[in-house]
Amino acid sequence: EPCVYQNTDAPVEARVKDLLSRMTLPEKIGQMTQIERTVASPAAIRDFFIGSVLNAGGSAPFEDAKSSDWADMIDGFQRSASASRLGIPLIYGTDAVHGNNNVYGATVFPHNIALGATRFLRFFHFEQTNRSVKRAETEREICMRDADLVRRIGAATALEVRASGVHWAFAPCVAVLGDPRWGRSYECYGEDPGLVSEMTSLVSGLQGKPPVEHPNGYPFVAGSNNVVACAKHFVGDGGTDKGVNEGNTIASYEDLEKIHIPPYLKCLAQGVSTVMASYSSWNGSNLHSNYFLLTEVLKEKLGFKGFIVSDWEGLDRLSEPRGSNYRNCVKTAVNAGIDMVMVPFKYEQFIQDMADLVESGEIPMARVNDAVERILRVKFVAGLFEHPFSDRSLLGTVGCKEHRELGREAVRKSLVLLKNGNNADKPFLPLDRNAKRILVTGTHADDLGYQCGGWTKTWFGLSGRITIGTTLLDAIKAAVGDKTEVVYEKTPSKETLDSSEGFSYAIVAVGESPYAETIGDSSELIIPFDGSDIVTTVAERIPTLVMLISGRPVVLEPTVLEKTEALVAAWLPGTEGQGMADVIFGDCDFEGKLPVSWFKTVEHLPLNARANSYDPLFPLGFGLNSKPV
Ligand code: GLC
């Protein structure tokens, strides 16, 4: 007679209750422990009953490992877990934040800031409510935020993540962007809480869409083609003073409720299974220690029934120097409401401290039971007991044509046209694809790594041909007529510039080099690698379109804006560069609208459309169209 928890047909809550009742304290503490893949030996997993394994950004089985290599590694971890007394499967998590970005050959979608710019046009036929309304006003073009595109990206990402054996994606980041000086601006969908809330549709893509009767706040995963999602970082991570990463968000509780909490309501309504606590503080109180927000608000008031995972060494950051007095950090964070701890290396110390704290009663057994119940609930809901191992039949979805076409669509829809010609009746775009001779130049014209940005292959991202994909240059060459000569130079040479009259136009791609988290914090926000100088040098001689590859608004005035004919914010488009050619040559119209205000100078920051003194270079929601040919 199988135990209730092993009975697939038993209700989840009954399985949770039954399994919990069979567990020893070490087994319960093990479920709360998440370790990094480099320390996840078979002995560690088995003897410490480890509940979860993750990989740091850039930590891979080996260089350019493919999905099947990842699946081999993770299946290995799972075999060790299933060998434990109760055979509780472990849950493997990774930062698949714009596709399965660790894995060679995976589709790398545009980063969130680009997705926040995506729109589609919908015609609304308004009833003629009163005789005075003229015919033309009854039919209006409304720019709708393309939440369904983001959901589709989530579904595609889930397939590619599952194909690599991974069960859990640490996405979406639902930070509401308060200040572009923040190194994680590109991980935000934008500055408007409503926009960010709509783009949480990634949860329904990753996990599958729950049925209407699904209880709010209860974890949901549709099936084995889906993954567990993670809304992060709770709460107020995007609102820190001056955009300092892991900084302090000074705000009233009403401001949190108005600005930073709304996206979590939408995530809970979609059955998000996990939430990651933020490194940042609220009015000086570190989120990892904040019982009021983690437990009283998220769990009790909002009814979250999944589990809260700490951020990487989030507990260590509760003390100075970091990691000192660790037992006290464990006590504070677990009692505040952290259910699973992303240790991720010194797991023996964490486990020992937990055991001592429970023995001494400083952490109540009820708190441990609540944490483990939540973790087991997610594992049952995710079907891990039924499908603990990778499904190799999904390998064909990795980087498949359909997913790359989806990425290309996202790129097309995310580009924002900021300038198109020096006077309205002489638009510069769409470009003539049959021009005789064109110049393509700039540090970002032929660099796939730069197009992908941070969290790609490595934590911070790289330059160069790092995976399979299409650079802007590749896309331009594929788009122009066969009589068009494309001259490419990463930096324009003197002879090229001296023969500038021979060019119909120039496309200059400049922007930011990849970064992540604190190393991305910037108080200057100027275009690196003398990007503005390259633009000026070319634009003074040749009619120029500038493609800006950046994770956020950067300083444009005075040169980049005045001296050029046209300017496109391309954000961080990822591997499907073809989407950029689609709009600049006019196969498709520009539809993107700014998800974030574009400042004039950094002295004006923070700059939000909500503020009363609002004087942007380009306002939130700005974006020109160029009629397709
Ligand atoms: C990082 C980030 C978090 C990420 C985690 C695991 O420091 O803050 O977003 O999911 O650690 O890589």
Side-chain angles (χ1 to χ4, degrees), residues 106 156 158 252 341 399 440 475 560 610:
S252 66
V341 173
V440 179
V560 174
R610 295 188 297 276

Side-chain angles (χ1 to χ4, degrees), residues 6 24 43 143 149-150 232-233 323 408 437 450 461 516 528 542 546 590 624:
Q6 291 162 327
T24 63
C143 278
L149 169 71
V150 172
K232 71 185 189 182
H233 314 77
R408 179 175 178 174
R437 190 162 180 263
Y450 281 179
I542 309 169
V546 171
F590 281 86
L624 301 175

Side-chain angles (χ1 to χ4, degrees), residues 369-515:
N369 287 338
D370 174 56
V372 178
E373 227 173 72
R374 289 168 177 271
I375 292 165
L376 296 180
R377 178 176 297 133
V378 170
K379 290 186 173 183
F380 282 119
V381 160
L384 293 188
F385 285 77
E386 285 69 45
H387 310 284
F389 296 103
S390 61
D391 173 0
R392 304 298 166 115
S393 73
L394 296 177
L395 285 172
T397 69
V398 180
C400 67
K401 185 162 176 14
E402 188 191 348
H403 289 179
R404 292 187 186 277
E405 279 307 306
L406 176 59
R408 179 175 178 174
E409 175 188 352
V411 172
R412 274 203 301 272
K413 289 182 167 181
S414 64
L415 265 57
V416 180
L417 183 54
L418 296 175
K419 179 181 180 183
N420 187 12
N422 281 306
N423 39 46
D425 55 11
K426 254 176 77 15
F428 191 65
L429 297 181
L431 297 175
D432 175 5
R433 67 174 75 231
N434 296 309
K436 199 162 125 347
R437 190 162 180 263
I438 65 176
L439 172 65
V440 179
T441 186
T443 46
H444 290 56
D446 190 34
D447 193 317
L448 200 58
Y450 281 179
Q451 272 176 213
C452 293
W455 293 107
T456 315
K457 186 168 176 177
T458 66
W459 184 21
F460 297 149
L462 295 164
S463 164
R465 190 68 65 171
I466 59 170
T467 183
I468 299 165
T470 307
T471 64
L472 174 63
L473 177 65
D474 297 336
I476 292 166
K477 286 179 174 171
V480 296
D482 47 19
K483 291 190 179 50
T484 301
E485 184 194 356
V486 177
V487 173
Y488 167 67
E489 290 180 327
K490 186 171 177 180
T491 40
S493 64
K494 193 178 170 334
E495 49 273 11
T496 295
L497 294 170
D498 289 348
S499 69
S500 57
E501 72 289 343
F503 291 106
S504 312
Y505 53 78
I507 299 170
V508 181
V510 291
E512 293 189 303
S513 59
Y515 51 81

